[in-house]
């Protein structure tokens, strides 16, 4: 293992103080000392700088990365990862097409053997993230799948799958079966209002179904990585299966509320003025009009 300068100084100080660690504890300590990287289980972690959380797995015969943020933060990520492993990326996944999850593909491509995504993710990247005539400039997955993609890498069995339109039309979950860690992309905005635009071919109704299927599939031991949390604090982008239900409940509340307002004869603009919905608590806003945007999209979906 190589050390960055900062880590080396810390290591020297600890050893100088006469404190001895087992190798296992020591490697965990190094990870946790870097405030952008957080170890989840041995060899598994999450990185966060700007945009959707990056998940990673590294071992003697494996390096797998999920999502890529932006080119400049993808570089920070890769530089940090290089203190842990020299291996190139065996598989690089995109959970969905949004720019804060895929723009760093252009930087990480040079280290990756393959980029993997649901086929709709690639279609939406081209349709939604590029201007006409500039389709060639974005880097998309070169291995795509419809329903599922499986791989055995290192000690891990990886199962990536897509169920139905939800946050977008091309959301995937990547599950490391041995470690029981699942990156669910933006299917969970943990304790914050989600970004949602029907033009991304998702569905609030489908989102509820997707989360319920995930709740049934996973168990109480599963560690989840979420695309976003209320702040960029790393602890806020990981959680347990109960957090899937909190997300489902929020989307149900938005749909039920909007449906009732439509029945009561309210217009889209009148519904969008709502400042509070009963039962919706503890959600922060990335944008001042986050709730309004969710209500307008719910209205459009219900009126379709
Ligand atoms: Zn997203």
């Amino acid at each position: 293992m190589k050390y960055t300068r900062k880590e080396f100084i810390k290591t020297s100080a600890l050893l100088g103080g006469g404190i001895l660690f087992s190798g296992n504890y020591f490697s965990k300590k190094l990870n946790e000392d870097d405030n952008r990287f957080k170890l989840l289980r041995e060899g598994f972690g999450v990185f966060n700088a700007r945009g959707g959380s990056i998940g990673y797995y590294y071992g003697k015969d494996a390096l797998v990365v999920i999502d890529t943020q932006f080119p400049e933060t993808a570089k920070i990520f890769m530089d940090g990862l290089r203190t842990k492993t020299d291996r190139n990326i065996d598989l690089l996944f995109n959970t969905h097409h949004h720019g804060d999850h895929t723009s760093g593909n252009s930087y990480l491509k040079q280290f990756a053997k393959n980029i993997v995504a649901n086929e709709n993710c690639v279609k939406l990247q081209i349709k939604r993230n590029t201007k006409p005539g500039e389709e060639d400039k974005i880097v998309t997955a070169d291995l795509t799948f419809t329903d599922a993609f499986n791989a055995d890498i290192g000690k891990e069995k990886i199962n990536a799958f897509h169920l139905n339109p939800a946050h977008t039309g091309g959301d995937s979950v990547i599950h490391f079966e041995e470690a029981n860690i699942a990156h669910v992309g933006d299917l969970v905005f943990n304790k914050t209002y989600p970004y949602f635009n029907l033009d991304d071919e998702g569905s609030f109704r489908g989102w509820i179904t997707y989360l319920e299927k995930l709740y049934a599939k996973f168990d109480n031991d599963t560690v989840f990585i979420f695309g976003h949390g209320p702040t960029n604090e790393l602890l806020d982008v990981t959680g347990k299966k109960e957090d899937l239900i909190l997300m489902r409940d929020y989307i149900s509340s938005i749909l039920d509320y909007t449906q009732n307002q439509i029945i009561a004869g309210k217009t889209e603009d009148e519904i969008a003025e709502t400042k509070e919905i009963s039962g919706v608590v503890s959600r922060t806003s990335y944008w001042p009009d986050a709730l309004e945007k969710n209500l307008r999209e719910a209205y459009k979906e219900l009126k379709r």
Side-chain angles (χ1 to χ4, degrees):
M1 183 182 285
K2 287 196 228 160
Y3 297 111
T4 63
R5 187 177 181 81
K6 182 179 146 208
E7 284 166 340
F8 184 77
I9 290 165
K10 275 188 185 156
T11 304
S12 305
L14 287 169
L15 291 176
I19 304 161
L20 294 173
F21 299 101
S22 73
N24 208 8
Y25 179 76
F26 205 85
S27 65
K28 284 182 187 176
K29 193 72 190 160
L30 284 176
N31 277 295
E32 288 167 355
D33 277 349
D34 185 327
N35 62 13
R36 293 181 196 273
F37 288 86
K38 178 178 171 55
L39 187 82
L40 296 176
R41 282 181 174 154
E42 192 62 40
F44 293 84
V46 62
F47 167 89
N48 209 339
R50 184 166 73 89
S53 314
I54 296 178
Y56 60 89
Y57 158 54
Y58 68 95
K60 194 165 83 63
D61 305 312
L63 179 56
V64 179
V65 175
I66 304 163
D67 282 348
T68 64
Q69 297 198 343
F70 299 94
E72 61 277 17
T73 54
K75 183 180 186 312
I76 295 169
F77 165 72
M78 202 60 201
D79 289 349
L81 205 64
R82 280 288 174 251
T83 68
K84 303 167 188 11
T85 177
D86 284 329
R87 193 177 174 87
N88 272 345
I89 302 168
D90 295 285
L91 290 175
L92 174 61
F93 288 91
N94 288 148
T95 59
H96 65 293
H97 74 281
H98 282 151
D100 60 318
H101 295 255
T102 57
S103 299
N105 286 3
S106 59
Y107 180 76
L108 291 183
K109 183 186 193 303
Q110 63 188 301
F111 306 104
K113 289 175 196 156
N114 286 109
I115 306 179
V116 188
N118 171 257
E119 60 193 4
N120 297 330
C121 169
V122 172
K123 285 180 196 159
L124 286 162
Q125 245 183 301
I126 293 164
K127 185 176 166 186
R128 299 278 294 152
N129 298 6
T130 60
K131 295 180 188 127
E134 294 188 354
E135 291 86 353
D136 293 348
K137 290 188 180 168
I138 55 163
V139 177
T140 61
D142 56 351
L143 274 180
T144 61
F145 64 91
T146 305
D147 300 319
F149 174 92
N150 294 287
D152 290 353
I153 295 188
K155 293 176 185 167
E156 265 304 323
K157 291 189 183 313
I158 298 168
N159 171 227
F161 59 91
H162 163 77
L163 299 179
N164 54 262
H167 169 62
T168 70
D171 303 298
S172 296
V173 170
I174 291 87
H175 185 211
F176 296 94
E177 295 180 345
E178 298 297 324
N180 200 5
I181 291 175
H183 195 317
V184 299
D186 281 1
L187 290 165
V188 173
F189 277 70
N190 199 30
K191 301 180 184 74
T192 190
Y193 290 108
Y195 174 81
F196 181 73
N197 186 328
L198 275 178
D199 292 342
D200 289 326
E201 300 178 10
S203 156
F204 272 136
R205 287 192 190 100
W207 201 336
I208 290 170
T209 309
Y210 208 130
L211 289 168
E212 287 176 349
K213 286 178 185 165
L214 295 184
Y215 188 81
K217 175 183 169 66
F218 292 111
D219 58 40
N220 291 327
D221 178 61
T222 312
V223 172
F224 291 91
I225 300 172
F226 308 131
H228 302 275
T231 67
N232 269 342
E233 294 301 319
L234 292 167
L235 285 175
D236 294 330
V237 295
T238 61
K240 293 293 198 177
K241 69 184 266 189
E242 282 66 35
D243 298 311
L244 306 176
I245 290 305
L246 292 178
M247 187 72 207
R248 190 239 6 217
D249 289 348
Y250 170 73
I251 299 165
S252 293
S253 299
I254 284 283
L255 278 182
D256 289 349
Y257 174 82
T258 307
Q259 182 68 66
N260 287 334
Q261 295 295 300
I262 291 170
I263 291 167
K266 297 280 175 62
T267 65
E268 180 186 334
D269 285 341
E270 284 169 339
I271 296 169
E273 280 171 18
T274 305
K275 298 292 172 237
E276 210 177 297
I277 295 174
S278 86
V280 173
V281 287
S282 305
R283 286 203 178 261
T284 58
S285 296
Y286 278 136
W287 315 278
D289 54 354
L291 178 59
E292 179 193 329
K293 283 205 160 97
N294 283 179
L295 288 164
R296 286 188 184 280
E297 297 304 305
Y299 180 89
K300 282 183 218 159
E301 181 169 337
L302 290 166
K303 280 287 188 181
R304 235 176 3 189

